Amino acid sequence: MAKIYLNPERCIGCRSCEVACEREHGHPRISVGTVSDLAAVPLYCHQCDAAPCAAVCCTGSLRQDGDMVKFNPDLCTLCGLCLVACPFGAIELDSMVQRCDMCGNGTPVCVTTCPAEALVLGDVDVVTRSTRARAAAVLAARLR
Amino acid sequence: MSARTPTVCPYCAVGCGFYITRSGIEYMQDHPVNEGSLCPKGNAALDVLNHVDRLRYPMMRIGDGWIRVSWEEALDRLAEEMKRALREMGPKSIAFLGSAKCTNEENYLFQKIARLVGTNSIDNSARRCHSPTIVALRRMLGTPAMTNPITDLALSDCILLIGSNLAENHPVVARWILRARDRGAAVIVADPRVTPTAWLADLHLQLNPGTDIALINGMINVILREGLENRSFIKERTGGFEELDVSDYTPDRVSSITGLSAGDIVRAARLYAKSSASTIVYCMGITQHTCGTDNVTACANLALICGQIGRPGAGILPLRGQNNVQGACDMGALADFYPGWRSVDDSREIDELRRLWNAGALPVGRGLTADMMPDADLRFLYVMGEDIVNSDPTVSRRRGKLKRCFMVVQEIFMTDTAKLADLVLPAAAWAEKEGTFTSTERRVQWVSRAGEPPGEARPDIWILAEVAARLGFDFPSEPEEVLAEINQAVPAYRGISRRNAGARGGIIWPCPHPDHPGTPVLHAERFSTPDGRARISPVHHTPLERTSPEHPLILLTGRVVLHYNSGSMTMRSEGLVKREPEMHVDVNPDDAARFGVADGDTVVVETGWGRARARARVTPRQKRGTLFMPFHFPETNLIASELLDRNAMMPELKIAACRIGRAD
Ligand code: SF4
Ligand code: SF4
Ligand code: SF4
């Protein structure tokens, strides 16, 4: 299944993804940090294949389901273990566990709204193939 | 009404499309410019529509307070006061400020009222963003507008961004620059600051503020010395090349002026001149200077001698600020131009309009620009959709003088300008009315009504037709009818209709007849000057001794991605305000140490014009010797410079000498 991948070189730090996600869910589940004022890095749930959040979730509220980590609010005790377990700090508590649900019926709103096409949705091999194609085009242009 | 209404973003001039649905925003994936994407402001656009602060009914000032009045009463009073001023003091005593946020049809009617009552004192905020572009590009190329569409950037092999922080101000443009980079294009960014736009650069030229002409002349010097100019283009398509003498601008000398290395200047020149298609993108970092017109001229000289214009991927792109600043100017909401870029000094061109409007005589000669209005002893001022107090430093400081005249403000919010008014008229916002907007790339798009205005607020076009009727003029009040008249008055809009402007992505002017597909690239075969040739005109760097022992630093101003101009709209969006809540000033760490300022301190920044408080952000991104303050907060306006570019009457908003210290 497709996941959201980030091309950090493209990100212009505009925070549109944040504002869009907040518009959709009432609380942003992606946040853009700036490193040394010189590079912006959006942090969000990567739907890990070995998800630490699901591993520490005692109630089964967070659970690996195929390529995605699914969340069932009915089982959640708000213990907060997942918040600390996520290596990206991508889970927050705002009356309920706030984490990415791959919204948008196909293409998540953060991906569509990103002006810079820094966030892309795709299978990992498709994404890396297009990254390689771009790198090759740039190299070819430089050699011209 | 259908479930989703197509619309165009009300903020910047990129002209992004999206849908308004019952539950909010839906992205428009097949829009030619944004392809579904939106920047944070676009995502927050609906926040202004049903905001509690919206003006809901007409209000009249009684002493220090307001009373609610009927539209009848308000409009009668407006007409009565305007007529009184005309009768007692003549047309010189009244002035109008149009809006780069209102539709073409509204601006057209607004300026028509001004002209029919006998004054050219009508202006709009373009004065403070691209008036130098208007003067320089009209003279040199014939048409004062972007030569190529935004998407064309993807076809460029070299993009020179000078005085533009588009990653924050026009984020969707970055999409097309990144596409060019994917193909291996070189991106050069000339900006004293390290901005998110500079992150896109292969070569960042961190030049000293106010040295753009030196840099460009230096590039031209290198190009001529190395024979990289386009001889046949110069010969066949331009005039004035012989007068261009840049022999003084050797890389070494330019290096000492700009603070750049000679090698970088040579590299930039070669990249730009040798690429098969190069584009120059510029914005207010070029225009908002006392030498703004010369700055634009320098950029155009560079493009012309290299023949980098008039082809896909090769052109000059002045990025306009507001969603309809190009349109408001095309419609003649300017003190120096009638609709269709007819000069106020050319009575022959005006004659056509006189016939179209059935008018006796029309005023000739430049009227008052916004900056001149406070000192002009006006009796009546009509402001449509502009927070001039928070965007024009001169007006801001002399607002007391404006209070002496009868002032009408037509607005969606009670802005600081509206607070000065004698009469406040509640207007519909962009999505509550219909009409066309012209984006920065000359793209004319029809906007449909997605909802009703709050309370008794009315579309500006309705208000203007009512005002006109009370002055004895018979104006159409339907946007389509007004557009039909614009077809007659503005040659570039001759073939534009609701049909083609309402299609996805609208249509790019010039569109000379109804079946014409529009003209994305200008100047392909000839320039729109009278003889079809472009004018190369020499300009020179004048050293600017702005700093002094008393004011040792240079203050730079600009925007941040989350806010928009005076903030009357974005400051009412919770999602934007909480991310960028307060006035800040960026300080270089060395300067911070020198002046005893630490990160997070409350500081006072003082220029020769005033002082403002702000929160200090100490960051290596800021160039030594300079400070940066965003102009969305009223404080920045209070300390901005009042010096003017005399060619274009553009205030020098970009830079001012200043000092900084802790507030306590
Ligand atoms: S996919 Fe949706 S929920 Fe997840 S981060 Fe993006 S916008 Fe937020
Ligand atoms: S919307 Fe895209 S460019 Fe903007 S901050 Fe998010 S990832 Fe970066
Ligand atoms: S880039 Fe400009 S037009 Fe597009 S969404 Fe942002 S403010 Fe609106």
Side-chain angles (χ1 to χ4, degrees), chain B residues 294-312:
Chain B
D294 287 353
N295 283 347
V296 177
T297 304
C299 292
N301 282 341
L302 174 62
L304 288 170
I305 65 149
C306 296
Q308 297 285 20
I309 189 166
R311 285 175 286 123

Side-chain angles (χ1 to χ4, degrees), chain A residues 7 11 19 70 98 109 113 125-126 138 140:
Chain A
N7 186 340
C11 176
V19 175
K70 290 242 166 88
Q98 302 284 342
V109 299
T113 204
D125 51 329
V126 176
V138 171

Side-chain angles (χ1 to χ4, degrees), chain A residues 32-93:
Chain A
V32 184
T34 309
V35 183
S36 312
D37 281 347
L38 280 174
V41 188
L43 294 167
Y44 58 97
C45 167
H46 290 265
Q47 313 291 347
C48 306
D49 279 343
C53 60
V56 297
C57 182
C58 313
T59 62
S61 172
L62 281 166
R63 144 185 86 72
Q64 209 99 36
D65 182 1
D67 263 357
M68 207 184 142
V69 180
K70 290 242 166 88
F71 176 62
N72 178 353
D74 295 340
L75 302 176
C76 178
T77 58
L78 298 177
C79 72
L81 277 179
C82 58
L83 276 69
V84 230
C86 173
F88 308 101
I91 308 181
E92 284 184 51
L93 212 54

Side-chain angles (χ1 to χ4, degrees), chain A residues 4 17 20-22 24-25 27-30 43-45 47 99-104 107-111 119:
Chain A
I4 303 170
C17 47
C21 185
E22 178 172 310
E24 198 69 20
H25 305 92
H27 184 97
R29 297 157 176 196
I30 179 166
L43 294 167
Y44 58 97
C45 167
Q47 313 291 347
R99 69 171 275 292
C100 174
D101 58 359
M102 297 293 281
C103 63
T107 311
V109 299
C110 55
V111 171
L119 296 172

Side-chain angles (χ1 to χ4, degrees), chain A residues 9-12 14-16 18-20 22-23 28 37-38 40 109 112-117 134 137-138 141-142, chain B residues 25 27 29 37-40 43 167 171 175 178-179 181-184 194 196 199 202 561 575 578-579 619 621:
Chain A
E9 228 193 302
R10 294 181 101 81
C11 176
I12 52 174
C14 73
R15 302 175 80 180
S16 188
E18 256 182 53
V19 175
E22 178 172 310
R23 187 169 59 67
D37 281 347
L38 280 174
V109 299
T112 311
T113 204
C114 176
E117 300 178 281
R134 271 204 310 272
V138 171
R142 297 277 192 271
Chain B
I25 284 179
Y27 297 126
Q29 313 254 13
S37 71
L38 289 179
C39 82
N43 270 296
R175 185 183 196 89
L178 284 158
R179 294 254 179 105
R181 284 196 56 183
D182 291 345
R183 294 176 29 255
V194 182
W199 301 348
D202 297 285
V561 66
K578 72 174 178 217
R579 293 186 165 78
T619 162
R621 246 165 73 162

Side-chain angles (χ1 to χ4, degrees), chain B residues 514-540:
Chain B
D515 298 318
H516 192 277
T519 315
V521 178
L522 291 177
H523 315 306
E525 264 125 43
R526 68 190 299 279
F527 288 92
S528 33
T529 50
D531 65 0
R533 282 172 174 266
R535 303 263 167 289
I536 291 171
S537 348
V539 284
H540 291 284

